[in-house]
């Protein structure tokens, strides 16, 4: 298992700018190689800030959006126009503001049967990627150590075969607040995540500092801290944690 790269910056603004630079670099590299660039989107407030940045004139002009395909790492089982929908957030902050062909945006259909939606999305990923993964997978980390919708104690952590599964967070889950009506999820699994060429984990805020230290420096306990299952070494990919100074427990960036 290869060690992740840890990049510490001053604050969230610098974090999302660093993520944007890496996305632009990966997209440019794919274009030069004659390949479509695949980007897996994440939910959350920090990714939203990243999407809003990418949608500005200064940044969106640096990417040929005709050469981009957008996918999702997870989705809540709600309608696409729900305030809790990851797709709605990404669409309002990025997708609707950049010239990407509609047929190159692949959302998870959270409004349908979760098992069928997961099966369909998994088949889509199999058709598009075969036994490989995407170019860039964006992830965050919850206060409980989860990433995507891979929560401690849930069945999806043990998945070894499927790329995408339906996952249910227990109704009495107490490790962190879960928005009402969003306990049912669709999520990519670690076997698929770990085939990504590049994984970017965006994590900021003082409230995450203790958990970040535990995940990166503490003993391995991936059932309790699912994000510790990140490991792209088998396929030569990279995992980079982008942390602000507060989340890294440092007074200043390196």
């Amino acid at each position: 298992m290869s060690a992740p790269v840890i990049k510490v910056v001053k604050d969230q603004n610098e974090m999302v700018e660093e993520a944007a630079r890496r996305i632009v670099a990966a997209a440019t590299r794919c274009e030069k190689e004659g390949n479509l660039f695949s980007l897996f989107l994440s939910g959350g407030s920090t990714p939203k800030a990243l999407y809003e940045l990418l949608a500005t004139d200064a940044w969106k002009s640096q990417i040929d959006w005709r050469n981009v395909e957008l996918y999702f790492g997870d989705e809540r089982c709600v309608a696409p126009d729900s305030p809790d929908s990851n797709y709605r957030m990404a669409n309002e902050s990025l997708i609707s503001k950049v010239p990407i062909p509609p047929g190159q945006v692949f959302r998870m259909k959270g409004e349908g049967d979760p098992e069928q939606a997961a099966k369909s999305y998994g088949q889509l990923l199999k058709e598009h990627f075969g036994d490989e993964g995407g170019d860039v997978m964006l992830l965050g980390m919850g206060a409980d150590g989860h990433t995507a919708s891979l929560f401690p104690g849930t069945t999806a952590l043990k998945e070894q075969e499927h790329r995408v599964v339906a996952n249910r967070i227990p109704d009495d889950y107490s490790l962190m607040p879960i928005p009402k009506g969003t306990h049912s999820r669709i999520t990519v699994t670690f076997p698929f995540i770990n085939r990504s060429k590049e994984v970017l984990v965006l994590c900021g805020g003082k409230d995450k500092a203790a958990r970040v230290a535990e995940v990166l420096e503490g003993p391995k306990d991936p059932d309790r801290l699912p994000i510790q299952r990140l490991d792209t070494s088998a396929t030569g990919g990279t995992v980079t944690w982008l942390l602000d100074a507060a989340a890294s427990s440092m007074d200043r960036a390196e």
Side-chain angles (χ1 to χ4, degrees):
M1 180 175 181
S2 58
V5 175
I6 301 172
K7 173 73 174 178
V8 180
V9 297
K10 182 177 66 174
D11 53 26
Q12 177 175 281
N13 288 338
E14 288 195 8
M15 186 198 311
V16 298
E17 287 178 2
E18 178 67 21
R21 281 192 290 270
R22 290 169 183 259
I23 289 169
V24 168
T28 301
R29 183 167 60 249
C30 285
E31 184 179 2
K32 289 181 178 178
E33 294 171 350
N35 300 320
L36 288 171
F37 170 60
S38 54
L39 174 63
F40 280 75
L41 303 180
S42 172
S45 58
T46 301
K48 181 181 179 182
L50 169 61
Y51 305 155
E52 291 172 342
L53 179 65
L54 287 171
T56 62
D57 290 340
W59 283 93
K60 69 182 177 183
S61 61
Q62 298 182 50
I63 295 176
D64 182 357
W65 293 93
R66 298 168 301 176
N67 200 59
V68 176
E69 290 185 331
L70 295 179
Y71 300 84
F72 286 78
D74 71 319
E75 183 57 278
R76 297 158 171 176
C77 291
V78 296
D81 60 352
S82 166
D84 292 316
S85 167
N86 287 341
Y87 169 77
R88 174 176 171 173
M89 182 274 282
N91 185 56
E92 291 180 348
S93 58
L94 175 65
I95 297 168
S96 64
K97 298 180 179 179
V98 296
I100 185 170
Q104 290 169 209
V105 178
F106 303 96
R107 74 175 182 90
M108 291 177 167
K109 296 183 178 180
E111 70 274 25
D113 174 73
E115 296 289 345
Q116 184 56 50
K119 182 178 179 180
S120 297
Y121 209 78
Q123 185 61 39
L124 171 75
L125 297 185
K126 182 178 180 180
E127 292 171 357
H128 287 205
F129 298 101
D131 291 331
E132 299 182 357
D135 292 304
V136 174
M137 173 79 66
L138 294 175
L139 295 175
M141 184 193 72
D144 57 355
H146 86 271
T147 193
S149 281
L150 297 159
F151 287 79
T154 57
T155 58
L157 296 188
K158 305 297 185 182
E159 182 60 50
Q160 295 297 318
E161 179 182 356
H162 296 100
R163 296 164 178 81
V164 183
V165 295
N167 201 26
R168 174 79 188 179
I169 309 166
D171 292 334
D172 59 353
Y173 196 76
S174 60
L175 297 179
M176 64 174 287
I178 305 296
K180 184 178 180 180
T182 69
H183 286 72
S184 291
R185 308 288 181 98
I186 305 163
T187 184
V188 293
T189 61
F190 280 111
F192 182 75
I193 292 173
N194 287 338
R195 293 199 289 265
S196 303
K197 294 180 177 66
E198 183 175 5
V199 176
L200 295 179
V201 183
L202 279 60
C203 192
K206 186 177 181 180
D207 59 323
K208 298 285 183 70
R211 188 68 76 196
V212 167
E214 186 177 19
V215 167
L216 295 177
E217 301 171 5
K220 293 299 178 183
D221 190 359
D223 289 337
R224 186 175 65 87
L225 302 171
I227 201 168
Q228 286 186 331
R229 294 176 184 265
L230 283 179
D231 180 11
T232 59
S233 58
T235 55
T238 61
V239 176
T240 302
W241 285 70
L242 299 181
L243 306 174
D244 65 10
S248 70
S249 302
M250 298 179 64
D251 293 330
R252 59 185 177 83
E254 290 182 328

